[in-house]
């Protein structure tokens, strides 16, 4: 899993304050904390993961800005969307074939709480109540991003002729 | 006896200053010179000049900065920018910052004297308008009122510059009797022989010397308006419409959300918020545009982003052109923005679909729909609620709006034909 040399354990209170887990019951939060790997820092322009790579982690962005990019032949790299502190980066660890579909690159110095995706998936399978909440929260992220993408596609500000 | 008019020339080249003094030696004016921006500003405060010539390229304080400070201390001051680096973009930048005109070096004595004459003439007009405004404060007629509410008054174009590929800003000479406007109001602009269109006023309400309107080319009338040149005359009626609730917003956090050309009707409110910064809680300016090339007033946006007392965020639909900021629609900025949703006020302008989704996000954050304000500008023809084109139920968008509380606007959003 991509990262930098600067890694440290995730302070529980910081993890508990991340919007992705806010409102979870203490016991569920503890299970997620058990899956937490570390706080990882990414320098500006550092690649967090590449499309096609094995998706092993859920990144809860604490601060910084990250671009989701796709390389389009003939037109270089195009940014699909950007994420920032409080957002969730990556859900490909949830679904087979567990491969990233986009590149993720830090636009500014970024700090992320890295959660072991495989372990979280196993926990969710063993504890369906936890699984429901994890899937519900990922689904909420997906719904928000789908809506934002639809608005982007609608060209809401009025397009060029 | 009329007091002598005063001219201040700020230029780091002493030879230029000497030449200017010589060229104005036979005039009735009192001329002062300064060799740098700091000295120029000090002298301006001391002598209160009527007209200032400012060199753009000087060591120390840059000329455009001097221009801006002069205009912010006295918006009626007439400033002309001189430079050896005559470029269209520089001229445009100077006009945006309030310059009356632009004089490229080298210039002849006749060119300089003509420019000084026109500048002083402009200053006399500005002072006269200010006197009229003061005298007519109580009951002076609004433009066009004397000849009936539908009669436009002639109005001269002082300047014009392209903002984006399809958008132009016109600087108009305020007509006689003009008493100013409140942020959020609009004027009916009449392109003679073509037609009339409702255009929001997009400048600083404190700038009494010129009226700014940002026009997007979307039809015959706006095409004609956008094609106007300096010196052309158009018809103007107004100002019309309800203003942004700035008084109500005092003491509260204010979230300004603009999409595309929606920034134009919001810019006067932003000016007001920033000029009276201590009256408000947190001020957030959230902007969305298609690409960086479509973003209105990019220099001003950059300036807002550099301020510590305002949280200005920009997001674009496409990062084309090397943009390194946020990508996504403007609604995505709301969930993480820091403001007091329970007590705060939001002012939102953009295409209706954007306003609907923005209002939904704000309400989702806990803001009451009664404190979300939007501006609707659909189908306005007469501006005074007489023609019925913009009627929706019991409301006329032009007369009862264009600024509405979202509770009212939500019902109007459902009316497809308005």
């Amino acid at each position: 899993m991509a990262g930098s040399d600067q890694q440290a354990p995730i302070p529980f209170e910081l993890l508990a304050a991340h919007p992705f887990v806010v409102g979870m019951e203490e016991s569920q939060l503890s299970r997620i904390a058990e899956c937490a790997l570390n706080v990882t820092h990414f320098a500006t322009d550092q690649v967090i993961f590449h499309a096609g790579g094995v998706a092993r982690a859920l990144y809860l962005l604490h601060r910084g800005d990250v671009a989701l990019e796709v390389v389009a032949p003939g037109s270089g790299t195009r940014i699909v969307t950007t994420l920032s502190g409080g957002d969730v980066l990556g859900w490909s660890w949830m679904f087979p074939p567990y491969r990233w579909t986009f590149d993720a690159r830090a636009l500014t110095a970024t700090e992320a709480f890295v959660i072991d995706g495989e372990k979280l998936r196993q926990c969710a399978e063993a504890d369906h109540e936890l699984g429901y909440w994890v899937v519900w929260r990922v689904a909420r992220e997906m719904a928000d991003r789908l809506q934002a993408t639809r608005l982007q596609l609608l060209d809401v500000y009025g397009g060029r002729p | 006896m009329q007091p002598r008019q005063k001219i201040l020339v700020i230029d780091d080249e002493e030879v230029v200053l000497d030449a200017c003094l010589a060229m104005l030696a036979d005039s009735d004016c009192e001329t002062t010179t300064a060799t740098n921006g700091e000295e120029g500003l000090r002298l301006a405060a001391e002598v209160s000049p009527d007209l200032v010539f400012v060199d753009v390229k000087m060591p120390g304080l840059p000329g455009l900065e001097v221009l801006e400070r002069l205009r912010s201390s006295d918006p009626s001051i007439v400033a002309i920018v001189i430079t050896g680096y005559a470029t269209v973009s520089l001229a445009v930048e100077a006009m945006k910052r309030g310059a009356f005109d632009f004089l490229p070096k080298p210039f002849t004595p006749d060119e300089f004297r003509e420019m000084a004459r026109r500048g002083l003439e402009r200053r006399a007009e500005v002072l006269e308008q200010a006197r009229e405004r003061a005298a007519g404060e109580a009951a002076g007629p609004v433009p066009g009122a004397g000849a009936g509410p539908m009669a436009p008054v002639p109005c001269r174009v002082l300047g014009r510059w392209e903002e984006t590929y399809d958008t132009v800003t016109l600087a108009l000479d305020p007509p006689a009797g003009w008493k100013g406007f409140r942020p959020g109001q609009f004027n009916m602009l009449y392109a003679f022989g073509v037609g009339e269109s409702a255009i929001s006023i997009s400048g600083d309400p404190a700038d009494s010397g010129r009226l700014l309107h940002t026009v997007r080319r979307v039809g015959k009338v706006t095409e004609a308006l956008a094609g106007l040149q300096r010196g052309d005359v158009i018809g103007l009626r107004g100002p019309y419409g309800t203003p942004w609730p700035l008084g109500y917003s005092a003491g509260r956090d204010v979230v300004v959300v603009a999409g595309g050309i929606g920034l134009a009707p919001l810019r006067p409110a932003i000016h007001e918020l920033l000029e009276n910064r201590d009256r408000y809680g947190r001020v957030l300016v959230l902007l969305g545009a298609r690409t960086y090339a479509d973003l209105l007033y990019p220099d001003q946006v950059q300036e807002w982003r550099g301020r510590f007392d305002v949280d200005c965020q920009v997001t674009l639909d496409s990062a084309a052109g090397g943009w390194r900021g946020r990508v996504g629609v403007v609604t995505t900025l709301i969930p993480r923005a820091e403001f007091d949703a329970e007590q705060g006020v939001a002012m939102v302008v953009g295409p209706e679909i954007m306003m609907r989704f923005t209002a939904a996000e704000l309400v989702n954050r806990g803001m009451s729909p009664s404190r979300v304000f939007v501006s609707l500008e659909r189908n306005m023809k007469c501006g005074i609620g007489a023609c019925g084109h913009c009627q929706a139920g019991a409301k006329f968008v032009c007369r009862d709006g264009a600024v509405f509380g979202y509770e009212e606007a939500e019902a109007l959003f459902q009316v497809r034909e308005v």
Side-chain angles (χ1 to χ4, degrees):
Chain A
M1 146 184 345
S4 74
D5 295 330
Q6 300 175 49
Q7 297 180 345
I10 305 173
F12 185 81
E13 63 280 7
L14 284 186
L15 177 66
H18 194 280
F20 182 72
V21 296
V22 164
M24 267 191 180
E25 281 180 20
E26 188 83 20
S27 59
Q28 292 168 349
L29 183 58
S30 298
R31 299 297 303 277
I32 287 179
E34 283 168 21
C35 303
L37 290 173
N38 51 49
V39 181
T40 303
H41 298 264
F42 298 95
T44 301
D45 276 333
Q46 186 177 348
V47 172
I48 300 171
F49 52 74
H50 275 296
V54 179
R56 293 199 175 93
L58 161 68
Y59 297 86
L60 303 180
L61 301 181
H62 180 50
R63 57 171 68 99
D65 300 288
V66 172
L68 281 183
E69 300 174 332
V70 62
V71 178
S75 55
T77 303
R78 298 182 70 167
I79 297 177
V80 176
T81 191
T82 51
L83 304 170
S84 57
D87 285 332
V88 174
L89 170 63
W91 51 61
S92 297
W93 54 273
M94 273 185 75
F95 311 103
Y98 311 119
R99 299 273 172 185
W100 298 119
T101 47
F102 292 102
D103 294 346
R105 182 172 56 87
L107 287 173
T108 58
T110 296
E111 195 175 289
F113 305 147
V114 185
I115 312 290
D116 183 332
E118 197 177 338
K119 196 169 173 186
L120 184 57
R121 204 170 61 232
Q122 286 164 1
C123 287
E125 279 165 8
D127 176 352
H128 282 187
E129 196 170 339
L130 172 69
Y132 168 78
W133 281 110
V134 169
V135 172
W136 186 88
R137 278 153 204 269
V138 170
R140 184 182 58 185
E141 285 290 325
M142 288 175 166
D144 287 348
R145 295 229 204 129
L146 177 61
Q147 179 177 301
T149 306
R150 282 173 171 163
L151 286 176
Q152 240 170 309
L153 289 172
L154 279 173
D155 201 8
V156 287
Y157 310 123
R160 291 166 186 249
Chain B
M1 187 177 144
Q2 289 279 332
R4 292 175 76 192
Q5 287 186 295
K6 296 173 202 161
I7 297 178
L8 169 63
V9 185
I10 309 171
D11 196 307
D12 61 315
E13 292 182 70
E14 296 213 10
V15 62
V16 174
L17 295 178
D18 290 344
C20 291
L21 283 170
M23 288 184 261
L24 293 170
D26 292 337
S27 73
D28 287 335
C29 300
E30 192 180 311
T31 309
T32 318
T33 60
T35 53
N36 58 58
E38 289 83 357
E39 188 191 2
L41 289 172
R42 188 178 53 73
L43 281 173
E46 259 175 41
V47 303
S48 300
D50 296 286
L51 172 63
V52 181
F53 285 92
V54 192
D55 185 15
V56 167
K57 194 118 177 143
M58 291 185 290
L61 205 56
L64 291 182
E65 176 78 29
V66 175
L67 168 67
E68 205 156 275
R69 290 203 201 172
L70 283 169
R71 295 270 308 164
S72 71
S73 63
D74 177 5
S76 69
I77 214 160
V78 174
I80 292 170
V81 165
I82 48 179
T83 180
Y85 300 84
T87 64
V88 172
S89 61
L90 195 59
V92 166
E93 190 52 41
M95 295 292 284
K96 282 183 185 174
R97 295 193 193 205
F100 169 66
D101 213 329
F102 185 76
L103 183 63
K105 287 180 192 170
F107 46 81
T108 66
D110 282 348
E111 285 168 343
F112 180 71
R113 280 192 284 262
E114 173 59 15
M115 195 59 90
R117 187 193 64 73
R118 287 183 41 230
L120 290 171
E121 200 175 273
R122 175 71 195 142
R123 167 72 168 177
E125 284 170 11
V126 170
L127 293 179
E128 180 59 29
Q129 284 162 2
R131 274 192 291 274
E132 278 177 12
R133 261 196 300 280
E137 206 69 83
V142 295
M150 292 297 286
V153 289
C155 193
R156 196 157 45 92
V157 177
L158 294 174
R160 166 209 191 271
W161 53 88
E162 303 273 346
E163 297 284 1
T164 69
Y165 80 103
D166 67 349
T167 309
V168 162
T169 291
L170 297 173
L172 304 179
D173 191 3
W178 178 258
K179 290 191 229 164
F181 70 99
R182 294 168 74 192
Q185 291 192 297
F186 64 93
N187 281 323
M188 299 302 297
L189 299 189
Y190 186 41
F192 294 118
V194 185
E196 203 176 31
S197 186
I199 308 288
S200 300
I201 308 170
S202 61
D204 185 350
D207 185 352
S208 56
R210 59 188 193 154
L211 257 175
L212 300 189
H213 293 79
T214 300
V215 183
R216 186 177 185 198
R217 297 183 185 96
V218 288
K220 265 188 182 171
V221 178
T222 49
E223 189 70 50
L225 290 171
L228 292 166
Q229 297 299 326
R230 182 192 175 94
D232 286 346
V233 174
I234 61 169
L236 180 146
R237 292 190 290 125
Y240 297 125
T242 48
W244 292 111
L246 288 159
Y248 172 73
S249 305
R252 300 172 188 270
D253 288 0
V254 182
V255 187
V256 175
V257 189
I261 194 164
L263 181 54
L266 280 167
R267 188 166 65 160
I270 298 171
H271 277 298
E272 190 94 351
L273 288 166
L274 298 185
E275 279 158 26
N276 301 286
R277 188 60 196 82
D278 53 346
R279 276 194 211 155
Y280 304 93
R282 271 173 287 209
V283 173
L284 290 86
V285 178
L286 309 180
L287 307 175
R290 197 167 179 265
T291 67
Y292 190 74
D294 294 291
L295 181 68
L296 280 184
Y297 323 129
D299 295 339
Q300 201 154 31
V301 169
Q302 206 52 42
E303 189 189 312
W304 297 335
R305 292 180 81 183
R307 286 179 66 138
F308 293 108
D309 57 354
V310 56
D311 178 7
C312 179
Q313 300 181 39
V314 179
T315 183
L316 304 177
D317 277 359
S318 163
W323 170 252
R324 288 188 59 85
R326 293 203 57 151
V327 174
V329 286
V330 72
T331 52
T332 60
L333 296 176
I334 294 169
R336 307 262 180 270
E338 284 182 30
F339 61 91
D340 177 1
E342 278 182 23
Q343 294 300 319
V345 173
M347 303 173 193
V348 184
V349 188
E352 284 193 14
I353 191 163
M354 175 229 129
M355 290 197 284
R356 260 172 34 208
F357 280 95
T358 301
E361 283 290 350
L362 289 163
V363 171
N364 203 29
R365 275 287 304 264
M367 190 175 274
S368 160
S370 63
R371 278 183 281 101
V372 177
F373 295 85
V374 299
S375 178
L376 297 179
E377 294 184 5
R378 283 198 278 180
N379 283 4
M380 292 195 286
K381 293 278 183 208
C382 70
I384 56 173
C387 73
H389 275 90
C390 64
Q391 186 176 8
K395 300 282 178 191
F396 291 87
V397 174
C398 68
R399 190 193 61 192
D400 302 309
V403 174
F404 288 95
Y406 187 64
E407 278 172 329
E408 272 183 313
E410 200 176 9
L412 298 177
F413 281 151
Q414 312 302 329
V415 184
R416 289 166 192 246
E417 65 272 22
V418 172

